[in-house]
Amino acid sequence: MAAYLQWRRFVFFDRETVKEPLGLDGAGGKPFALPPGIAVCDSGRGSLVFGDMEGQIWFLPRSLQLSSFQAYKLRVTHLYQLKQHSILVSVGEDEEGINPLVKVWNLEKRDGGNPLCTRIFPAIPGNKPTVVSCLTVHENLNFMAIGFADGSVVLTKGDITRDRHSKTQVLHEGSYPVTGLAFRQSGKTTHLFVVTTENIQSYMLSVKDYPHLELDTHGCGLRCSSLSDPSQDLQFIVAGNECVYLYQPDERGPCFAFEGQKLIVHWYRGYLIIVSRDRKTSPKSEFAGNEAQNSDKQVLNIYDLCNKFIAYSSIFDDIVDVLAEWGSLYVLTRDGKIHVLQEKDTQTKLEMLFRKNLFEMAINLAKSHHLDSDGLSEIFRQYGDHLYNKGNHDGAIQQYIRTIGKLEPSYVIRKFLDAQRIHNLTAYLQTLHLQSLANADHTTLLLNCYTKLKDSSKLEEFIKTSESEVRFDVETAIKVLRQAGYYSHAVYLAEKHMHHEWYLKIQLEDIKNYQEALRYIGKLPFDQAESNMKRYGKILMHHVPKETTELLKILCTDYQPSGDSEGMLEGKKANSEEFIPVFANNSRELKAFLEHMTEVQADSPQGVYDTLLELRLQNWAHEQDEQIKEKLHNEALTLLKSGRFKTVFDKALVLCQMHNFKDGVLYLYEQGKLFQQIMHYHMQNEQYKKVIEVCELYGDQEACLWEQALGYFARKEEDCKEFIAAVLKHIENKNLMPPLLVVQTLAHNSTATLSVIKDYLVNKLQKQSRQIEQDEQRIQKYREETTRIRKEIEELKASPKIFQKTKCSICTSALELPSVHFLCGHSFHQHCFESYSESDSECPTCMPENRKVMDMIRAQEQKRDLHDQFQHQLKCSNDGFSVVADYFGRGVFNKLTLITDLPVGKAAATIEAGLQRELLTHTKRST
């Protein structure tokens, strides 16, 4: 009773009286009245069903258009409308004193306008006539149970709509009237609850012999039992005058102390509906208003057993029954009126609870109504706001935690940013991370909370979750921990989650543990190790140069992360040239690195060799010890001679010149065939013998060296007669310079006398004298030849020619007729002549020589014409240089060799053009 009095009362239903529908004339609006004499009622399939004392069954649809048919001759005593089938089962009387009849009606079929009665059988247990007390039918149409006032229960098994397919038997016998029956279906198991005025029993119908179990030793009155819905696990409800009991098929469940004489019990959508007569109700009860309550008044209470409150309570006059249909409750009273109880919508009920600050009850109600998560979240928020405003921050944060995923976290965070509420904020942020809904800002805030609280244990617990359970942004956590000075925690996170850059940054910039950072880089995969060495190599080289150099050697040759099994990872090589900047201000380590690379990797990048050469030249230039300097000299020269600088000749030359490395410069000049530069180098250093040696070595490849040497010695004021003589001797042998040019060149030397060139000039004049004699002899020979040819021409014109050849000039065989003879004295077989001759008028034997002469004559004539044309254009043009450049561009002044023997078959035009070009461009140098 005490528990019952603590239940809150609400008005979650609206009460109205059902009124008649408006007619066409606008009349209506009066309370709807049922026919008199209604004895029993039920609902289902869209209608309210009534049975009266005159044997009629009435149907009231939602349109309130009553209809009826005569089911019995006397009266209707019981009705049961199936909810899933249009089957109505009734019990009534046709004759006085005769056992009542059970009739099964198919409402979808008609028989003369009335529903079709598919089955009729007497309601009697065996041969004992008695009164029917209650009736129930299983929704599968395979079971029907009838209770009697003598304590008997008759069970019909099989198709209840057919006599042929069903079997009726007495299931239960007792000495107390049966007041309630209910079928319970759970899976494939069917139970039948039987309640009498003195006990409650459960029968298992899905097992042979129908075993039963007595559940309790007290019962209830008629219409005071019902079966709950699945929300209450299909429990059998029995309402006594003191308590309401709930039963499972095998045991008794919870009990609720609801006092008052129970008249009617129903179950509706999770609510327990009890109509009772409470004689103790005060005349000034809230249900009675100002009117005194009399004994005929009845109280209708609607209980929410799950949430422990009374959803509705009201007083009615003499209730006949309570029916549920069309989503509402209908209360029938003895005066024929129908009262409808319409449940308020969930939001309205919640608002009523909110106004009374009953948030816990609102939450339970929302859950029982299966409100979605958004709706529940709003309730949690309002509850949290209520607790927060009352100052209950711990309770408020618990409610706000329940809104995670729906409510914007910033709404809650702003409320708890005060330092005194940091514990509450921490709890909220922890839950936010556990549900993987935190962003980087939330992680930052939570870690700051930990650090402000100096809660190292919580901090470690937060960051040391397994990788699969990480619910925060790791990089953000590392930043916050680093900023707060928790370096060990930050390093742990960075290493665990493979944030290599952060790990190295903290080790090098904050902890200053360079050895550990270097060890860590050696464990990384190749690509990451390479990038991090480029980034942090200079710092590491400054503090741990030796170890850093060793790691770079490995990285650039055959890298394999430390800890990997042999052969598990294919070795990769970094570009050693890219790491040279790492060795800034560490020349010793740089030299060791570069020499290692050139030894183990002959195909190292060119930059390695360039840098090594520069390094060796620098060391050589700054070394003071002669022995070490000589060694460095040899090393640099050896590197130059390794053949690695062919493609970067200029760079190597610049390096050698910068460091005044003479041997290297001369070697590179020689390799680049820069003979003039070699000689100029010796000239600058006034090494006369070296100048002569260079001319002797390379003069054949570049003749101008001797001329340059003569000019060099001619400009010297020292006594260079010995060297000038040597040069003049070679110039004379090779005929490199005209004598006049030699004299003019030596005139610049004030110390050189005529004796220096006396022998040269004498020899030169003698050679020219001999050349003149040879030319005069050749002229005389040409004159004699010309005279002879002219004489021969005259003889050919005036004298007869006798052909005495006996052999063919081509095949050398004896001549046979027909034959061909030429004035030149050659004779040919006709067939030989036709095979080898190119022209019918020319001798095949003489034709090549004749053609040479003719080509030379034509070339000379054309050359004379071209010369005249050139001289004319040169005189008439305002810009003589452009004319010369034009002829030079066309190759007129090129020195070409005349080719007289051309391949057979070449076109005559091509031959003539070539000869003309060669003859015109041929220039003769006078000696």
Side-chain angles (χ1 to χ4, degrees):
M1 182 64 183
Y4 164 69
L5 292 176
Q6 292 177 359
W7 283 28
R8 287 185 173 272
R9 297 170 180 263
F10 301 100
V11 184
F12 285 166
F13 286 81
D14 294 324
R15 173 178 171 177
E16 292 182 4
T17 301
V18 178
K19 296 182 179 181
E20 294 180 356
L22 295 175
L24 296 176
D25 56 356
K30 297 180 181 180
F32 182 83
L34 288 173
I38 297 297
V40 292
C41 54
D42 203 353
S43 63
R45 307 300 291 178
S47 296
L48 302 182
V49 186
F50 310 104
D52 62 14
M53 299 301 294
E54 297 180 355
Q56 291 189 91
I57 294 179
W58 298 79
F59 294 95
L60 179 65
R62 198 164 192 175
S63 61
L64 302 182
Q65 302 295 325
L66 269 173
S67 61
S68 66
F69 72 95
Q70 192 72 36
Y72 295 91
K73 295 179 181 179
L74 291 182
R75 66 184 65 85
V76 181
T77 59
H78 295 84
L79 288 175
Y80 192 92
Q81 172 68 57
L82 274 77
K83 304 300 184 289
Q84 300 178 15
H85 304 277
S86 295
I87 300 296
L88 174 66
V89 180
S90 62
V91 178
E93 299 177 4
D94 279 342
E95 296 181 31
E96 289 286 354
I98 303 299
N99 291 328
L101 297 176
V102 177
K103 296 185 179 181
V104 180
W105 307 91
N106 188 335
L107 302 181
E108 292 180 348
K109 296 182 180 180
R110 293 289 167 177
D111 180 13
N114 295 332
L116 175 64
C117 181
T118 61
R119 183 180 183 188
I120 301 176
F121 64 92
I124 181 172
N127 296 320
K128 302 175 182 179
T130 183
V131 178
V132 175
S133 58
C134 52
L135 166 71
T136 187
V137 181
H138 199 294
E139 287 293 333
N140 63 11
L141 300 179
N142 285 327
F143 292 104
M144 179 169 54
I146 304 173
F148 295 91
D150 66 351
S152 302
V153 176
V154 173
L155 177 68
T156 300
K157 183 178 180 182
D159 187 354
I160 64 168
T161 62
R162 298 284 187 272
D163 288 324
R164 186 180 304 172
H165 301 100
S166 64
K167 179 181 179 182
T168 301
Q169 67 181 77
V170 176
L171 178 68
H172 171 80
E173 291 183 346
S175 55
Y176 304 106
V178 178
T179 56
L181 297 170
F183 286 107
R184 182 184 188 275
Q185 185 71 38
S186 177
K188 295 184 178 180
T189 304
T190 305
H191 287 88
L192 174 64
F193 290 102
V194 178
V195 57
T196 66
T197 56
E198 299 296 332
N199 60 21
I200 304 169
Q201 298 189 42
S202 168
Y203 285 84
M204 183 179 292
L205 303 183
S206 53
V207 179
K208 190 178 181 181
D209 297 333
Y210 307 140
H212 69 279
L213 176 68
E214 186 173 20
L215 300 178
D216 218 332
T217 56
H218 61 80
C220 66
L222 283 172
R223 301 198 300 173
C224 290
S225 62
S226 182
L227 190 71
S228 69
D229 58 22
S231 66
Q232 282 290 333
D233 200 20
L234 297 174
Q235 297 185 91
F236 188 54
I237 301 170
V238 177
N241 290 335
E242 300 297 331
C243 297
V244 174
Y245 301 92
L246 277 66
Y247 295 93
Q248 293 284 355
D250 53 354
E251 63 180 352
R252 191 177 82 174
C255 169
F256 298 94
F258 299 148
E259 291 187 348
Q261 181 183 355
K262 311 299 187 297
L263 302 177
I264 301 172
V265 172
H266 281 293
W267 187 266
Y268 168 73
R269 290 188 176 180
Y271 292 113
L272 175 63
I273 302 168
I274 296 179
V275 178
S276 60
R277 180 180 291 110
D278 190 355
R279 299 183 181 276
K280 297 179 181 180
T281 302
S282 170
K284 295 185 178 181
S285 168
E286 60 177 301
F287 306 111
N290 295 325
E291 298 179 2
Q293 182 177 353
N294 56 43
S295 59
D296 293 332
K297 299 292 184 181
Q298 297 173 350
V299 180
L300 182 145
N301 288 321
I302 301 178
Y303 298 96
D304 188 329
L305 300 182
C306 180
N307 298 310
K308 306 293 190 298
F309 64 81
I310 300 174
Y312 183 76
S313 182
S314 184
I315 295 177
F316 291 87
D317 293 331
D318 201 2
I319 297 175
V320 175
D321 207 343
V322 179
L323 303 177
E325 191 65 26
W326 311 310
S328 301
L329 285 174
Y330 292 88
V331 181
L332 279 63
T333 53
R334 190 63 62 187
D335 57 6
K337 295 180 180 179
I338 303 177
H339 305 273
V340 59
L341 300 180
Q342 183 71 44
E343 186 178 8
K344 299 179 185 292
D345 61 87
T346 303
Q347 190 59 39
T348 302
K349 291 189 284 187
L350 292 176
E351 290 175 357
M352 295 172 64
L353 296 175
F354 293 158
R355 286 195 293 269
K356 297 182 179 182
N357 294 327
L358 299 174
F359 293 99
E360 286 288 354
M361 188 169 289
I363 291 169
N364 295 332
L365 178 65
K367 289 180 178 179
S368 64
H369 283 59
H370 305 290
L371 198 66
D372 61 13
S373 55
D374 291 334
L376 282 171
S377 176
E378 178 61 20
I379 299 174
F380 296 144
R381 184 196 65 78
Q382 293 187 36
Y383 191 16
D385 291 347
H386 171 69
L387 295 176
Y388 181 86
N389 293 330
K390 289 176 63 179
N392 184 1
H393 299 124
D394 293 339
I397 204 67
Q398 294 303 318
Q399 298 306 318
Y400 287 136
I401 285 173
R402 300 168 79 178
T403 67
I404 289 176
K406 299 297 180 181
L407 181 63
E408 174 61 37
S410 59
Y411 177 88
V412 180
I413 292 172
R414 284 196 298 268
K415 291 178 177 290
F416 292 89
L417 284 176
D418 189 282
Q420 296 179 352
R421 301 168 190 165
I422 195 171
H423 291 87
N424 301 129
L425 180 59
T426 303
Y428 180 80
L429 292 171
Q430 282 177 336
T431 309
L432 198 65
H433 282 81
L434 286 174
Q435 297 187 19
S436 302
L437 296 173
N439 58 28
D441 294 333
H442 300 147
T443 301
T444 302
L445 190 56
L446 177 58
L447 292 173
N448 283 326
C449 289
Y450 284 142
T451 55
K452 294 292 183 184
L453 294 171
K454 300 188 183 303
D455 194 344
S456 297
S457 60
K458 285 284 187 181
L459 183 60
E460 289 190 7
E461 180 184 350
F462 178 73
I463 68 173
K464 292 186 177 181
T465 54
S466 63
E467 188 170 350
S468 60
E469 297 175 355
V470 173
R471 299 180 175 91
F472 57 89
D473 184 80
V474 176
E475 188 170 359
T476 301
I478 294 172
K479 291 179 183 177
V480 176
L481 292 171
R482 184 190 182 200
Q483 186 176 8
Y486 285 79
Y487 300 126
S488 60
H489 296 78
V491 165
Y492 171 82
L493 272 182
E495 183 175 13
K496 178 180 178 181
H497 298 283
M498 302 177 69
H499 285 264
H500 310 307
E501 294 181 7
W502 281 107
Y503 180 90
L504 295 172
K505 187 178 292 187
I506 296 170
Q507 289 284 15
L508 295 173
E509 297 178 9
D510 301 320
I511 304 177
K512 310 292 186 184
N513 192 344
Y514 305 104
Q515 291 282 4
E516 177 61 26
L518 198 63
R519 180 199 63 80
Y520 187 81
I521 292 176
K523 292 167 45 179
L524 298 178
F526 171 78
D527 294 334
Q528 296 172 358
E530 181 185 26
S531 62
N532 282 294
M533 281 306 293
K534 290 178 181 178
R535 180 172 301 170
Y536 302 110
K538 289 184 179 180
I539 300 176
L540 294 169
M541 183 62 66
H542 178 71
H543 293 90
V544 281
K546 183 178 179 181
E547 293 82 353
T548 305
T549 304
E550 290 301 319
L551 179 58
L552 286 174
K553 288 179 181 178
I554 297 172
L555 189 64
C556 296
T557 52
D558 190 10
Y559 179 75
Q560 194 164 354
S562 58
D564 281 3
S565 302
E566 188 76 21
M568 291 295 290
L569 180 65
E570 181 182 355
K572 295 183 178 180
K573 300 176 183 179
N575 187 345
S576 53
E577 183 179 1
E578 296 177 355
F579 291 98
I580 292 175
V582 171
F583 293 89
N585 303 322
N586 293 82
S587 58
R588 185 177 62 182
E589 284 75 19
L590 176 59
K591 183 180 179 183
F593 172 72
L594 296 175
E595 289 178 346
H596 173 79
M597 293 307 303
T598 56
E599 289 173 4
V600 303
Q601 204 171 36
D603 59 344
S604 293
Q606 185 62 41
V608 172
Y609 289 92
D610 295 343
T611 309
L612 181 58
L613 175 62
E614 183 178 3
L615 198 60
R616 287 183 176 179
L617 291 176
Q618 286 179 354
N619 294 339
W620 172 82
H622 295 89
E623 184 59 51
Q624 301 297 325
D625 190 319
E626 290 299 327
Q627 292 184 351
I628 299 177
K629 193 176 184 72
E630 181 64 24
K631 180 182 178 183
L632 294 173
H633 175 278
N634 295 334
E635 288 179 353
L637 198 58
T638 302
L639 183 61
L640 274 175
K641 293 181 179 180
S642 63
R644 295 292 307 186
F645 298 94
K646 294 180 180 179
T647 58
V648 288
F649 172 84
D650 295 339
K651 184 184 292 187
L653 184 58
V654 169
L655 289 174
C656 292
Q657 289 173 341
M658 285 173 55
H659 297 88
N660 197 23
F661 190 60
K662 297 179 181 179
D663 291 346
V665 172
L666 293 174
Y667 172 77
L668 291 172
Y669 280 160
E670 182 180 356
Q671 293 298 309
K673 296 185 179 182
L674 302 176
F675 306 128
Q676 294 188 35
Q677 282 80 352
I678 295 174
M679 190 171 69
H680 290 162
Y681 183 85
H682 291 310
M683 288 177 179
Q684 290 174 358
N685 292 278
E686 296 185 349
Q687 297 174 336
Y688 303 146
K689 291 184 179 180
K690 292 288 186 180
V691 171
I692 299 299
E693 289 178 3
V694 170
C695 290
E696 291 175 349
L697 287 172
Y698 311 117
D700 294 339
Q701 302 180 48
E702 199 162 344
C704 64
L705 294 177
W706 290 104
E707 301 174 10
Q708 294 176 8
L710 181 62
Y712 170 73
F713 288 122
R715 288 189 296 271
K716 289 294 180 182
E717 296 299 326
E718 295 87 356
D719 187 4
C720 300
K721 295 179 181 180
E722 178 186 351
F723 304 109
I724 291 174
V727 173
L728 286 174
K729 183 179 179 181
H730 195 85
I731 289 176
E732 179 186 0
N733 293 336
K734 297 293 185 178
N735 193 21
L736 300 176
M737 294 175 66
L740 183 59
L741 186 57
V742 172
V743 173
Q744 290 175 348
T745 302
L746 290 175
H748 293 86
N749 192 328
S750 60
T751 61
T753 60
L754 188 60
S755 62
V756 176
I757 60 171
K758 177 182 177 181
D759 292 340
Y760 167 76
L761 291 175
V762 170
N763 291 335
K764 198 67 177 175
L765 290 172
Q766 288 175 353
K767 284 185 178 179
Q768 288 184 353
S769 296
R770 288 193 295 269
Q771 183 66 36
I772 290 171
E773 290 177 359
Q774 291 176 1
D775 290 343
E776 288 178 349
Q777 291 175 3
R778 191 176 292 113
I779 291 170
Q780 183 63 33
K781 180 181 178 182
Y782 286 160
R783 285 175 178 174
E784 293 175 356
E785 182 69 21
T786 302
T787 302
R788 185 187 62 79
I789 291 174
R790 286 176 178 174
K791 183 179 179 181
E792 185 177 347
I793 291 172
E794 289 298 329
E795 289 179 355
L796 288 174
K797 288 181 178 180
S799 304
K801 180 70 175 177
I802 299 174
F803 301 103
Q804 294 180 340
K805 288 282 187 179
T806 59
K807 292 184 178 182
C808 176
S809 297
I810 292 177
C811 65
T812 67
S813 300
L815 281 174
E816 297 177 357
L817 295 176
S819 58
V820 180
H821 304 276
F822 286 90
L823 294 175
C824 60
H826 296 105
S827 301
F828 308 92
H829 293 112
Q830 184 177 357
H831 62 84
C832 290
F833 174 76
E834 292 175 350
S835 300
Y836 290 94
S837 67
E838 295 182 7
S839 173
D840 294 340
S841 59
E842 292 185 76
C843 172
T845 304
C846 299
M847 183 178 64
E849 190 66 26
N850 294 338
R851 187 167 295 178
K852 289 180 184 179
V853 176
M854 295 302 296
D855 289 340
M856 291 175 67
I857 293 172
R858 283 194 299 268
Q860 289 176 353
E861 292 175 352
Q862 291 176 357
K863 179 179 180 182
R864 183 179 67 248
D865 296 339
L866 183 62
H867 175 74
D868 296 340
Q869 183 182 1
F870 171 70
Q871 291 294 336
H872 176 73
Q873 289 185 1
L874 193 61
K875 290 178 181 179
C876 296
S877 175
N878 295 327
D879 186 4
F881 182 77
S882 62
V883 175
V884 175
D886 179 50
Y887 276 79
F888 186 81
R890 288 187 285 173
V892 172
F893 302 107
N894 291 348
K895 182 179 179 180
L896 302 175
T897 303
L898 180 63
I899 301 175
T900 56
D901 294 330
L902 297 174
V904 178
K906 192 168 185 180
T910 305
I911 296 172
E912 292 179 2
L915 289 173
Q916 176 183 353
R917 183 174 63 255
E918 291 166 358
L919 289 173
L920 287 174
T921 58
H922 180 70
T923 60
K924 181 178 180 182
R925 293 184 61 182
S926 61
T927 57

